[in-house]
Amino acid sequence: MVEPEKPGFDAAAFLARAGPGRTIIQLAPKDVLFSQGDPAGSIFYLQKGRAKVTVVSTAGKEATMTLLAAGDFVGEESIAGTGGLRLATATAITASTALKIEREEIVRVLHEEHAFSDLFLKFLLARSMRSQADLVDQLFNSSEKRLARILLLVAEFDKPGEPEPLIPEITQETLAEMIGTTRSRVSFFMNRFRTLGFIEYNGRIKVNKSLVNVLLHDSLAQPKHRQPGALTRRCKKPGDQDAPIAHAARQGGI
């Protein structure tokens, strides 16, 4: 007697619904998925919304490590072994929906379902490459270029399909933490980007594709005396070329 074939595993359906070892949770802005130091017994899959991952030093200083979007996993350290602790805190930025998967369930599915293992491995590789790019960005790029890159990532210009130019509400303090500079410098660069038409601001920040030019700027031919990464507007009067930027900076932060 021929046994009926087992239906193929549907990874998308697994991540969309609650089930054994899986719970869907609704989060309001500022709700916490897990906190630094908590037992690491589950992993989360963000179905909808945006979140951030932060870490607090022993001196009490908080830093934002990364921002999360729909389709991201977080808390994967729980798979490394039992009895571990959370290394960071994950907090919702917007109203969000997440699937909480217990450690035993995620380990089972990784072992038994190759389709899910492939999906999860691709995610981990993408996150590893993103972390390497973040490190290179921090080590070698100017704070102006680092800010441009973060804004483009938050707007999801790095993902297939149409980007989401209106980014979630994010404070300048958080942006400053992520790029390793001061809030005043972020305010200056944000006003510069707005003056040059790279972003728009009317309650929420809209990121325009032209912001990519900031990342490409250092590859263009420049006079040796020009500071790398600096953006200036071409004007008919050489003496006036920085005036609009200086004026925008004096208007205060966004």
Side-chain angles (χ1 to χ4, degrees):
M1 182 177 177
V2 179
E3 294 184 1
E5 291 187 4
K6 180 182 176 182
F9 179 79
D10 189 335
F14 176 84
L15 293 171
R17 297 193 295 262
R22 310 194 309 278
T23 307
I24 292 179
I25 58 175
Q26 303 293 334
L27 300 151
K30 298 185 179 180
D31 281 355
V32 174
L33 285 85
F34 56 80
S35 297
Q36 184 175 341
D38 286 350
S42 58
I43 188 171
F44 292 83
Y45 175 76
L46 197 61
Q47 295 177 336
K48 184 176 67 175
R50 305 299 292 267
K52 64 179 180 178
V53 178
T54 58
V55 65
V56 178
S57 70
T58 54
K61 183 177 180 180
E62 181 178 285
T64 300
M65 306 298 293
T66 190
L67 300 175
L68 305 171
D72 285 342
F73 291 92
V74 65
E76 60 270 21
E77 69 273 7
S78 62
I79 304 174
T82 58
L85 300 178
R86 300 289 188 190
L87 303 177
T89 298
T91 309
I93 297 175
T94 65
S96 305
T97 305
L99 180 70
K100 180 181 180 181
I101 311 173
E102 300 299 333
R103 179 183 182 277
E104 294 75 12
E105 177 65 3
I106 191 75
V107 169
R108 180 194 69 78
V109 176
L110 286 171
H111 285 164
E112 296 180 4
E113 305 295 349
H114 292 168
F116 185 82
S117 299
D118 289 346
L119 181 150
F120 192 70
L121 180 59
K122 288 177 182 177
F123 167 79
L124 291 181
L125 288 173
R127 170 161 289 179
S128 176
M129 293 170 64
R130 164 78 181 273
S131 297
Q132 291 182 44
D134 287 346
L135 179 59
V136 171
D137 190 48
Q138 193 73 27
L139 290 174
F140 297 113
N141 286 335
S142 66
S143 52
E144 183 177 40
K145 290 183 69 173
R146 295 199 301 271
L147 176 60
R149 178 173 175 270
I150 286 295
L151 291 174
L152 289 166
L153 288 172
V154 174
E156 300 186 358
F157 277 90
D158 61 323
K159 294 186 177 181
E162 290 296 320
E164 179 61 45
L166 283 173
I167 67 174
E169 293 184 10
I170 183 170
T171 66
Q172 291 189 356
E173 287 81 0
T174 296
L175 290 171
E177 291 168 3
M178 295 189 71
I179 67 175
T181 190
T182 63
R183 182 194 174 280
S184 61
R185 292 295 286 168
V186 168
S187 177
F188 174 78
F189 293 138
M190 293 289 276
N191 279 294
R192 173 178 287 184
F193 293 164
R194 182 167 58 176
T195 299
L196 296 176
F198 296 149
I199 65 172
E200 299 171 30
Y201 183 77
N202 186 16
R204 286 179 64 186
I205 298 171
K206 179 182 178 182
V207 178
N208 296 322
K209 190 174 182 180
S210 57
L211 185 61
V212 173
N213 293 332
V214 179
L215 302 183
L216 301 178
H217 191 70
D218 281 348
S219 64
L220 302 178
Q222 298 182 25
K224 291 183 179 180
H225 66 273
R226 184 178 297 173
Q227 182 179 355
L231 291 176
T232 55
R233 298 186 67 179
R234 294 190 178 185
C235 303
K236 292 182 180 179
K237 297 179 181 180
D240 293 338
Q241 64 180 4
D242 290 333
I245 294 175
H247 175 74
R250 287 194 295 269
Q251 302 308 307
I254 292 178

